[in-house]
Amino acid sequence: MADKPILVDGGLIEPVNLREALEERYLSYALSTIMHRALPDVRDGLKPVHRRILYAMRELKLDPTSAYKKCAKIVGEVMGNFHPHGDQAIYDALVRLAQGFAVRYPLIDGQGNFGNVDGDNPAAMRYTESRMTEVALALLDGIDEDTVDFRPTYDGSNREPVVLPAAFPNLLANGASGIAVGMATNIPPHNVEELAAALLHLIKHPNATIEKLVEFVPGPDFPTGGVIVEPKESIIEAYRTGRGGFRLRAKWHKEDVGRGGYQIVITEIPYQVAKAKLYEKIAELITEKRVPLIADARDESAEEIRLVIEPRSRSVDPTILMESLFRLTELEVRIGLNMNVLSAGQIPNVLSLREVLRQWLKHRLEVLVRRSRFRLAKIEHRLEVLDGYLIAYLNIEEVIRIIRFQDEPKARLMARFRLTDAQAEAILNLRLRSLAKLEEMEIRAEHDRLSKERRQLKALLKSEELQWERVALEIREIKERYSKKTELGRRRTAFATAPEVEVDLEQVLVEKEPITVILSEKGWIRAMRGHVEDTSKLDFKQGDGLKRAIKASTTDKLLLFATNGKFFTIEAKELPGGRGHGEPLRLIVDLEENHDVVEAFVHQPGRKLLLASTSGYGFIVAEDEVVASTRKGKHVMNVAEPDEARRAVPVNGDHVAVVGENRKLIIFPLDEVNEMARGKGVILQRYKDGGLSDVRTFYKAQGLTWLDAAGRTFTLEWGELRDWIGARAQAGRLAPKGFPRSGRFGPAF
């Protein structure tokens, strides 16, 4: 049951549902934003504010050959007659159309401070002046010839075009961006010669594939240049769906400075990146020592961009240096592609490259037909008038007499010479001094010329093939005018493949310095500068001592293998310094109190490890598989109490030597051991009592080597090892004479 109106203070208030009212108003706002503010029309590539600015400038006769006029006057004209919004919003839109670094083909020729690539703001509108460019004229070409529809302005006092004739593919040439309610658009600029080539191909082959069109339009062409490093397959897919993106990098080159040194010079930066902010970011990274490969940076730009980067040393690889900067700064950006536009000025939808081109061609065909009909009507009218002039010329005395003496000369002329209303009106409007010019030959010559043009127009309107030929001719003229041979039309953005840098950029961003990682028996860890050769002078807490001293670099990763079968990973750069005794290892990784570290070593990508437990089980694992991403570690070897993980040694051989706590040794081929990512493994050696003491891999040709208590090296040749050669899982025989009483072969890493 509907709520009844309520009488309040003599007036009726009608209750409404709040939800319905909000939905209705929000929908109205959303539609207004989508259709009249944020999304461009696929036909002329303009939003209403841009269209109104150009139309107002045309009304002010600000063509490329006229004098400049104050932008304040233009903004006032736009705001007062066409665009009921703030003056600053209109001026901002006008400024962007004049910025050569923001618009690929500027529509406005500005005079004064219109901002710069550093990101500085333009001067106030009272100081700047502007007029239209040739590109803007092309967009407006034919607007007086009934080529497009007009509608009343916001106050009904004037009329404005719904869309411009657009004899220039502006949407893709200059691009567009905007955020509406629930949708957005982002179209990068393109090269007009390439677009024209694709359009001509599409006229001949309406069902051309995206792959073929991308041969003509390989990618965007940004006004600030740069290098696109997006794979071609990704570009094709983006143009096929209307959604995607392009990786755009700054353009740079290496410049020699003598004595083997060099500096990097950046000459082009990515689209819509403010140079001043970019330089500040680079300087900030240098100050914070986040790019240790760089010693200094400076901005030497004048009219042309020139950012200079000095490496820390001549040995620094310039490609690695730039890859680190691309990763940390806006020297590399991703330009999104979202071709969300208004079709027919009303329907927002995401279009493919082919559909955008096709809809522009359809618009140009419609403009051609309407323009031809308008011209044909003008010719018909002129021919009618010329026929009347000819009659007047042949009967000039009688015409003068009727005009002079008759009370209603128009009706008399129409009756006497069988003239139409338009012919009689034209004769009556003739000035006396024009009568002398009404020579028969001139009238007939103009009549013949117009008659020929009328026949051509009628043939054009009857033949779609002729219409497409005319559209193609117009496109060829655009292609020639904005050819890549011209300064405005030259392609500015290049294409390249991003280099495949094998060096880990995480490591590159850390200054590489030698360190020695000290791990104590009680689990304290620290990193001392340099490679410590004499460990006897190291200081430890009372009752503690050295467990491992590992020579490494600040760019390395440290792998720790614990008795519970877990691997832990620590970045060497994150280890506590060498002053004092360091920090407890358990504050850095989640190692349980009842477990300990059995091996610690520097991670070497691509290497394989042989893991073994106290019960004699073991397997081979790729070292890359054991790297942990969290402090909780990575469980690799399955062990159940009282069994523990005992050894992790590098695989560097074709045979395995295993020795037990009972001093028995067994040797067997390495290929008898399985390789897996996680598990318990296979039995390496059997024990009646005790467990595994040590394991090692070696090459048959080099023999088995170990270190004695005094640090001397012993090697047994293959022929001397025949008594210990057997199969995996056997018990083995007592170790050879001279084998260390510790049951260890020596350090594995």
Side-chain angles (χ1 to χ4, degrees):
M1 179 178 176
D3 294 326
K4 294 180 180 180
I6 303 171
L7 185 64
V8 178
D9 295 333
L12 289 175
I13 296 178
E14 185 176 346
V16 295
N17 185 291
L18 179 61
R19 179 177 177 179
E20 292 177 359
L22 288 176
E23 285 178 351
E24 179 184 342
R25 285 156 179 75
Y26 189 73
L27 180 61
S28 298
Y29 166 71
L31 290 174
S32 172
T33 305
I34 291 167
M35 296 178 62
H36 304 298
R37 191 178 303 178
L39 298 190
D41 193 302
V42 70
R43 296 169 291 181
D44 61 7
L46 297 173
K47 300 176 186 177
V49 64
H50 301 131
R51 192 178 298 118
R52 287 163 178 165
I53 289 170
L54 295 183
Y55 186 66
M57 293 181 76
R58 182 188 175 281
E59 293 290 283
L60 292 170
K61 296 182 171 56
L62 293 177
D63 57 65
T65 58
S66 68
Y68 294 91
K69 282 194 178 178
K70 289 286 187 183
C71 290
K73 179 178 179 64
I74 299 168
V75 170
E77 185 79 9
V78 174
M79 184 168 60
N81 293 338
F82 306 108
H83 200 64
H85 295 277
D87 58 340
Q88 194 58 48
I90 298 171
Y91 184 53
D92 288 345
L94 185 152
V95 164
R96 187 180 182 279
L97 295 181
Q99 292 175 329
F101 55 87
V103 182
R104 180 63 182 83
Y105 299 90
L107 304 181
I108 291 177
D109 177 11
Q111 184 169 264
N113 177 14
F114 276 80
N116 55 37
V117 75
D118 274 333
D120 296 332
N121 293 326
M125 67 181 83
R126 61 183 179 274
Y127 300 121
T128 57
E129 299 175 336
S130 62
R131 63 187 180 187
M132 289 189 292
T133 64
E134 293 289 346
V135 177
L137 279 191
L139 289 174
L140 291 158
D141 185 36
I143 198 166
D144 286 334
E145 300 176 81
D146 192 35
T147 51
V148 293
D149 293 331
F150 279 70
R151 64 187 170 204
T153 54
Y154 68 94
D155 59 357
S157 64
N158 211 330
R159 294 180 67 78
E160 64 174 340
V162 174
V163 67
L164 299 187
F168 180 85
N170 186 60
L171 179 67
L172 288 173
N174 276 326
S177 63
I179 301 174
V181 176
M183 59 180 65
T185 185
N186 196 59
I187 304 170
H190 294 75
N191 188 276
V192 166
E193 182 179 328
E194 295 171 355
L195 292 174
L199 288 163
L200 291 172
H201 180 79
L202 200 58
I203 289 174
K204 290 184 178 179
H205 308 280
N207 296 319
T209 63
I210 293 295
E211 286 79 4
K212 186 64 180 177
L213 292 176
V214 170
E215 291 181 14
F216 299 105
V217 186
D221 186 19
F222 300 99
T224 51
V227 182
I228 293 174
V229 293
E230 191 71 21
K232 186 175 180 180
E233 300 76 23
S234 177
I235 293 175
I236 291 173
E237 187 60 26
Y239 282 137
R240 187 195 315 280
T241 61
R243 296 183 189 274
F246 308 90
R247 282 173 62 202
L248 180 67
R249 288 184 165 186
K251 187 176 182 180
W252 62 278
H253 65 270
K254 178 181 173 184
E255 195 174 85
D256 292 331
V257 294
R259 296 183 178 180
Y262 74 91
Q263 62 186 17
I264 288 172
V265 179
I266 298 167
T267 54
E268 295 175 3
I269 61 175
Y271 184 52
Q272 293 183 328
V273 171
K275 177 170 66 66
K277 290 184 179 180
L278 176 63
Y279 174 68
E280 287 176 11
K281 178 65 175 178
I282 295 173
E284 179 185 320
L285 291 174
I286 295 172
T287 303
E288 295 177 355
K289 296 184 178 180
R290 292 179 59 193
V291 279
L293 299 180
I294 299 176
D296 192 19
R298 58 184 181 274
D299 186 0
E300 297 181 354
S301 304
E303 291 186 4
E304 302 292 332
I305 290 175
R306 182 180 169 87
L307 289 176
V308 179
I309 308 293
E310 288 187 2
R312 187 165 293 279
S313 71
R314 67 186 67 179
S315 62
V316 172
D317 187 329
T319 303
I320 301 294
L321 187 154
M322 287 306 296
E323 287 298 317
S324 66
L325 277 181
F326 286 142
R327 189 167 182 178
L328 292 172
T329 69
E330 287 191 314
L331 284 172
E332 176 179 315
V333 298
R334 184 166 183 82
I335 305 292
L337 175 72
N338 182 13
M339 291 202 282
N340 192 3
V341 294
L342 293 175
S343 295
Q346 294 183 332
I347 306 167
N349 51 4
V350 179
L351 303 179
S352 67
L353 173 65
R354 179 175 58 201
E355 194 57 35
V356 169
L357 296 174
R358 186 180 286 166
Q359 292 205 25
W360 184 81
L361 287 174
K362 182 182 177 183
H363 175 59
R364 288 304 299 162
L365 190 69
E366 183 181 344
V367 167
L368 174 65
V369 170
R370 291 182 61 158
R371 193 174 194 171
S372 300
R373 286 174 179 162
F374 177 83
R375 177 63 181 159
L376 185 60
K378 289 286 186 182
I379 290 173
E380 295 280 8
H381 177 73
R382 181 62 179 168
L383 287 173
E384 183 181 348
V385 170
L386 289 176
D387 287 337
Y389 284 166
L390 191 57
I391 293 171
Y393 175 76
L394 295 174
N395 302 276
I396 190 68
E397 291 82 4
E398 180 67 11
V399 169
I400 293 173
R401 188 192 66 78
I402 292 172
I403 295 172
R404 187 175 182 183
F405 297 107
Q406 293 294 326
D407 292 335
E408 294 183 2
K410 182 176 179 181
R412 185 60 184 164
L413 283 172
M414 291 173 65
R416 174 70 178 81
F417 300 110
R418 296 181 180 178
L419 299 176
T420 64
D421 185 271
Q423 290 172 329
E425 192 68 35
I427 292 171
L428 289 172
N429 288 334
L430 273 175
R431 294 183 179 184
L432 287 174
R433 63 184 178 185
S434 301
L435 293 174
K437 297 180 181 179
L438 284 176
E439 297 180 8
E440 183 179 6
M441 293 300 294
E442 289 184 7
I443 294 172
R444 292 193 183 280
E446 185 181 358
H447 194 286
D448 291 344
R449 179 174 55 81
L450 291 177
S451 297
K452 181 180 179 182
E453 187 179 350
R454 177 173 62 178
R455 288 193 298 272
Q456 291 174 344
L457 287 173
K458 285 183 176 180
L460 179 68
L461 289 170
K462 288 180 180 178
S463 172
E464 189 173 338
E465 184 179 346
L466 289 176
Q467 293 169 17
W468 281 121
E469 285 181 9
R470 181 68 64 87
V471 171
L473 180 62
E474 294 172 351
I475 293 172
R476 289 191 189 94
E477 291 174 358
I478 295 171
K479 184 179 179 182
E480 185 65 28
R481 185 180 305 168
Y482 302 101
S483 162
K484 290 181 181 179
K485 297 176 183 176
T486 64
E487 178 58 27
L488 180 60
R490 67 178 177 84
R491 172 165 265 284
R492 303 180 187 181
T493 303
F495 294 88
T497 302
E500 295 183 5
V501 180
E502 295 181 1
V503 178
D504 186 354
L505 287 179
E506 291 290 343
Q507 295 182 3
V508 171
L509 299 181
V510 179
E511 196 160 359
K512 188 172 183 178
E513 295 179 348
I515 58 172
T516 302
V517 179
I518 305 299
L519 180 63
S520 76
E521 292 286 353
K522 292 190 175 180
W524 286 69
I525 193 167
R526 52 184 154 152
M528 304 188 69
R529 286 189 175 183
H531 287 166
V532 178
E533 300 297 338
D534 186 3
T535 59
S536 62
K537 297 180 180 179
L538 293 175
D539 185 33
F540 295 94
K541 285 179 176 291
Q542 188 174 0
D544 201 359
L546 177 66
K547 182 171 187 175
R548 291 283 189 280
I550 307 158
K551 293 179 180 179
S553 298
T554 50
T555 56
D556 289 335
K557 289 180 180 179
L558 198 66
L559 295 182
L560 307 175
F561 187 43
T563 54
N564 58 2
K566 283 187 177 182
F567 273 91
F568 299 93
T569 305
I570 303 175
E571 297 284 349
K573 63 184 179 182
E574 297 175 358
L575 288 171
R579 291 183 179 180
H581 300 109
E583 291 181 6
L585 179 63
R586 286 178 171 82
L587 293 180
I588 302 174
V589 297
D590 289 344
L591 179 62
E592 292 93 336
E593 289 291 339
N594 59 333
H595 289 286
D596 198 2
V597 173
V598 295
E599 193 59 79
F601 53 93
V602 173
H603 172 46
Q604 183 177 311
R607 185 167 60 181
K608 292 183 179 181
L609 301 174
L610 174 59
L611 309 183
S613 66
T614 54
S615 59
Y617 283 83
F619 62 93
I620 297 171
V621 63
E623 192 169 318
D624 295 333
E625 294 286 337
V626 306
V627 177
S629 56
T630 65
R631 58 176 289 155
K632 291 183 178 180
K634 190 170 186 179
H635 201 153
V636 177
M637 190 170 203
N638 296 336
V639 288
E641 293 184 355
D643 191 16
E644 292 182 343
R646 173 59 61 88
R647 293 285 176 263
V649 299
V651 174
N652 187 25
D654 50 23
H655 279 72
V656 180
V658 186
V659 62
E661 292 173 342
N662 56 10
R663 292 185 56 78
K664 287 188 176 181
L665 174 69
I666 182 67
I667 297 173
F668 55 87
L670 180 68
D671 55 19
E672 293 185 14
V673 183
N674 294 346
E675 181 173 342
M676 57 183 73
R678 176 180 175 177
K680 182 178 181 180
V682 294
I683 186 71
L684 304 178
Q685 186 180 23
R686 294 191 183 277
Y687 313 104
K688 288 185 178 180
D689 49 6
L692 181 141
S693 178
D694 203 359
V695 64
R696 189 60 42 90
T697 64
F698 67 96
Y699 285 103
K700 175 180 177 181
Q702 297 175 359
L704 179 61
T705 301
W706 63 79
L707 292 179
D708 66 6
R712 294 173 297 186
T713 302
F714 285 83
T715 301
L716 288 183
E717 300 294 337
W718 182 254
E720 301 174 280
L721 295 171
R722 68 170 65 92
D723 291 339
W724 291 272
I725 298 171
R728 179 183 61 78
Q730 291 181 343
R733 297 181 60 182
L734 285 174
K737 187 177 180 181
F739 191 80
R741 291 188 175 276
S742 64
R744 298 289 304 275
F745 292 101
F749 294 91

